[in-house]
Amino acid sequence: MTHPFRSQFPFYNSANSSNVAQSTIYLDSAATSQKCKPALDAMNEYNLYYASNVHRGGYKIAQQATKKYEAARSTAQSFINAPNSKEIVFTSGATEAINIIAAGLRAEHLNGKEILICESEHHANLVPWQMLAKRFDLSLKVMPLAENGQFTDATLEMWLGMITINTAILACAHVSNVLGNIYPVAKLCAKASRMGAISVIDGTQAGAHIAIDVQKIACDFYVLSGHKMYAATGIGVLYGKYNALESLLPSKFGGEMIRSVRWDSSDFQAPPLKFEGGTPNIAGALSLAAAMNFIVENADAIHKHEQILYKELLAKITSVSAINVLGNVDESIPLMSIDINDIHAHDMASALAQQGIALRAGHHCAMPLMDALNVEGTLRISLACYNDISEINLFIDAIKNNIADYDSGTETLSKQQFIDNNALSIKASLQTQFSTATGWNEKHRLLLLQSKNLPLLAPENRVDSNFVGGCESSVWIDVYNNQLMAYSSSKVIRGLLAVLLSAINETLSLKDDNSETTNLVYSTEYQLAYLNSLGLPMYFSQGRRDGMLQIAKRITQLLSKI
Ligand code: PMP
């Protein structure tokens, strides 16, 4: 069967020289999407045939570039049904767009003392408001979700009740990047407007999947991100009602955004140029407009295809008893977060990565939501129009197999099993096992088995003073009776700790304070080199490697005290 959209995505082109695409099942489109051909062509054409700056030169290609750039603005205007193209500001992304709003607000804009944000908000639509709250002495209030990240009728009632005359700003995502929930932003904005509050809607995850009409939503501001909607990175949109943009202070000063400059003062352009200081991302804006046209032209077919994929994924995933689907499954884009019984999301993501399945684990830039859901992180599957059913089937098979692997990896191996008849040390035995294990699957299995041999730090000793910050999963390490003990919420990391600690504890048990080996083992570099010699770090993500460095540093620090 020919895929309805793949021919429009060069990533999937069989001539893709890297060939990685052929073996990658890409389920991480919420992090960034693959780029559609029209978006790539638009960028290339600009760079190849009429590269020149906008709004400045009178020569032909400069006029062409300016015309195309302004036409891109009009495309963005109609994409979200904004009344006027002057209400469209090109930014570097959603984060910059929200920062422009937060930095540009003054005390006289704020009719209240509270900023209301939704519990699933991305840090991009949270941290700028924390900073603003500090600047103007406002309080940040969170609109909570129901259990399991659900948005229900009761949730809506509660949120509407929280929007009062004390509300200065309502900041809410149109779609949650963690849960996929589509929020009824028009209802929220209507109440905010009646209460005199400013409404800011983060449409980053909406753009590629649902139709957006800012006049129907009636928000003051709406932001989009190009790289989540089949366009380039480094481009986004800030929409604001013209009056709102006019009264907002610019925060990026320089060329392009000024009308006239004297030594002692300057006048600024009207919106949108007032917010586009410096040379804008011209190629990016053109790519975004082309991607928007692609989305609009195929909107119905994209929606239909994505819903088929999402329903298939949902039906298959809910049949796996160990998996809990978080958030709403009806009013949702084709994205879901899952929590798997006793399996850390990072462990599953790294196992899947080795099997060619690309998806994201962790807090997804929504740390407070993780606390509310009482999970350390989730595994997020995010689909786009270029995915297909066979990928969903392969993903489901892989996740089921990995869960089974985890369960079978629970047998306990005694330390003695690692010491052979010739009385090889544990360290030497492990070195042999890891170096003969080829590929991630075998090493992964060894780690799972090893996790049972970790000298476990008791639950009551997993306290802040023993906590190792900077790891993707929770890790605690301490020393008791000259032996290191540890715990991690991730089984893979427990395995890794078991391997590392057994080597160190073995040296410590020799109690040879002056030995060179002992001093060597104490060093962070040695510990990392040891793990490298087992061929482990190469299989880990950067986040996990950073965590390993923190673990080794903590061990060195602990050992220096005994
Ligand atoms: N908001 C949401 C909901 C997001 O998912 C993201 C990206 N993960 C952002 C904001 C930030 O977008 P950008 O990368 O364009 O700054």
Side-chain angles (χ1 to χ4, degrees):
M1 195 189 96
T2 53
H3 190 283
F5 302 110
R6 268 204 186 170
S7 61
Q8 293 292 315
F9 288 85
F11 176 78
Y12 292 103
N13 187 331
S14 53
N16 187 336
S17 58
S18 74
N19 223 12
V20 174
Q22 313 309 317
S23 57
T24 299
I25 296 181
Y26 191 71
L27 306 178
D28 197 19
S29 295
T32 199
S33 64
Q34 296 306 325
K35 315 305 168 199
C36 66
K37 189 166 184 311
L40 295 171
D41 288 348
M43 278 203 293
N44 270 345
E45 277 161 24
Y46 163 75
N47 281 315
L48 288 170
Y49 306 124
Y50 58 98
S52 50
N53 217 324
V54 289
H55 305 134
R56 288 171 194 152
Y59 47 90
K60 207 167 161 201
I61 54 170
Q63 283 180 352
Q64 190 181 355
T66 304
K67 208 166 138 203
K68 293 257 190 189
Y69 182 73
E70 288 307 322
R73 204 188 294 283
S74 301
T75 303
Q77 173 205 346
S78 64
F79 186 79
I80 57 173
N81 196 28
N84 190 330
S85 69
K86 292 192 170 66
E87 296 175 321
I88 303 293
V89 178
F90 283 122
T91 65
S92 66
T95 304
E96 188 187 37
I98 297 168
N99 274 277
I100 290 174
I101 307 166
L105 288 172
R106 286 169 285 154
E108 57 264 38
H109 291 120
L110 308 170
N111 296 323
K113 295 298 275 176
E114 287 174 4
I115 302 175
L116 275 186
I117 60 165
C118 149
E119 192 169 62
S120 63
E121 228 46 47
H122 187 282
H123 298 161
N125 202 22
L126 159 56
V127 183
W129 304 120
Q130 284 177 340
M131 305 313 286
L132 186 88
K134 281 197 184 132
R135 219 163 80 224
F136 293 115
D137 197 22
L138 308 178
S139 59
L140 203 71
K141 272 196 152 180
V142 179
M143 302 184 292
L145 290 162
E147 214 178 321
N148 224 25
Q150 298 278 327
F151 182 88
T152 63
D153 290 345
T155 315
L156 175 61
E157 285 314 305
M158 185 203 294
W159 287 15
L160 288 174
M162 290 176 77
I163 306 172
T164 68
I165 47 164
N166 292 327
T167 310
I169 295 163
L170 166 77
C172 182
H174 197 166
V175 175
S176 161
N177 67 305
V178 183
L179 305 165
N181 296 359
I182 302 174
Y183 296 115
V185 285
K187 289 184 179 149
L188 300 172
C189 291
K191 179 79 191 279
S193 163
R194 284 204 302 281
M195 295 296 130
I198 296 166
S199 51
V200 179
I201 304 301
D202 176 358
T204 304
Q205 296 294 346
H209 305 287
I210 57 175
I212 299 162
D213 185 331
V214 290
Q215 296 192 58
K216 280 198 185 134
I217 297 171
C219 50
D220 294 298
F221 297 101
Y222 193 98
V223 307
L224 284 172
S225 172
H227 72 99
K228 317 268 190 190
M229 30 193 307
Y230 311 134
T233 50
I235 188 72
V237 166
L238 161 60
Y239 155 81
K241 283 184 179 158
Y242 192 77
N243 291 347
L245 286 178
E246 222 176 11
S247 72
L248 206 62
L249 282 178
S251 46
K252 193 164 60 170
F253 303 97
E256 185 84 359
M257 53 80 65
I258 45 80
R259 197 172 275 144
S260 69
V261 178
R262 293 161 303 278
W263 285 122
D264 54 353
S265 65
S266 306
D267 295 330
F268 305 138
Q269 294 269 23
L273 296 188
K274 163 175 142 179
F275 301 103
E276 294 184 6
T279 299
N281 181 355
I282 304 165
L286 303 184
S287 87
L288 178 54
M292 285 173 162
N293 285 333
F294 166 78
I295 293 171
V296 169
E297 279 157 24
N298 297 289
D300 290 344
I302 289 178
H303 184 72
K304 208 168 139 208
H305 180 65
E306 288 185 347
Q307 281 306 309
I308 291 172
L309 296 181
Y310 181 65
K311 296 223 164 82
E312 183 74 10
L313 173 65
L314 189 64
K316 294 215 157 118
I317 220 156
T318 44
S319 72
V320 184
S321 61
I323 293 179
N324 176 27
V325 178
L326 301 160
N328 288 32
V329 294
D330 33 22
E331 287 291 293
S332 173
I333 62 162
L335 175 156
M336 72 175 67
S337 262
I338 59 172
D339 182 39
I340 312 171
N341 278 352
D342 298 330
I343 301 182
H344 199 281
H346 279 298
D347 289 358
M348 184 55 84
S350 53
L352 290 168
Q354 297 305 325
Q355 295 151 5
I357 299 176
L359 41 62
R360 187 66 72 83
H363 55 66
H364 315 290
C365 293
M367 283 181 167
L369 175 64
M370 298 299 117
D371 290 341
L373 294 171
N374 200 18
V375 293
E376 263 193 25
T378 74
L379 191 71
R380 182 182 69 184
I381 308 115
S382 57
L383 307 172
C385 70
Y386 37 70
N387 291 119
D388 68 18
I389 295 275
S390 70
E391 291 178 318
I392 296 197
N393 292 336
L394 285 167
F395 163 69
I396 294 287
D397 288 347
I399 205 165
K400 279 184 179 164
N401 287 339
N402 291 336
I403 292 173
D405 259 9
Y406 261 71
D407 293 344
S408 67
T410 51
E411 64 220 64
T412 306
L413 293 192
S414 75
K415 276 185 186 174
Q416 206 51 46
Q417 280 176 271
F418 287 93
I419 303 176
D420 72 9
N421 292 339
N422 300 324
L424 267 180
S425 70
I426 294 174
K427 186 176 152 195
S429 168
L430 282 175
Q431 269 171 326
T432 313
Q433 290 184 53
F434 274 97
S435 57
T436 51
T438 50
W440 167 250
N441 283 347
E442 284 184 41
K443 288 187 199 281
H444 185 236
R445 184 153 171 76
L446 278 176
L447 282 178
L448 294 182
L449 289 171
Q450 273 304 304
S451 68
K452 289 282 153 188
N453 287 330
L454 178 66
L456 281 187
L457 191 66
E460 60 275 20
N461 294 327
R462 296 170 203 164
V463 292
D464 285 354
S465 54
N466 300 329
F467 188 76
V468 185
C471 302
E472 282 179 331
S473 40
S474 302
V475 176
W476 294 264
I477 309 178
D478 204 2
V479 182
Y480 286 91
N481 299 329
N482 269 359
Q483 293 284 289
L484 288 163
M485 306 187 91
Y487 184 75
S488 170
S489 51
S490 149
K491 196 167 179 178
V492 170
I493 299 300
R494 287 204 294 280
L496 188 92
L497 284 163
V499 170
L500 188 58
L501 265 52
S502 66
I504 298 171
N505 284 340
E506 192 172 80
T507 312
L508 291 178
S509 62
L510 298 175
K511 293 202 171 81
D512 183 358
D513 289 344
N514 296 320
S515 114
E516 256 183 48
T517 329
T518 310
N519 291 332
L520 192 64
V521 168
Y522 281 16
S523 83
T524 302
E525 293 72 23
Y526 172 85
Q527 291 164 41
L528 294 176
Y530 174 59
L531 293 174
N532 260 320
S533 74
L534 304 183
L536 287 170
M538 60 185 283
Y539 293 107
F540 290 146
S541 64
Q542 187 57 48
R544 285 223 142 143
R545 284 203 290 267
D546 293 346
M548 272 161 50
L549 174 64
Q550 297 310 321
I551 288 171
K553 278 187 176 166
R554 174 59 64 92
I555 291 174
T556 305
Q557 195 187 28
L558 284 168
L559 294 179
S560 70
K561 290 188 192 137
I562 59 173

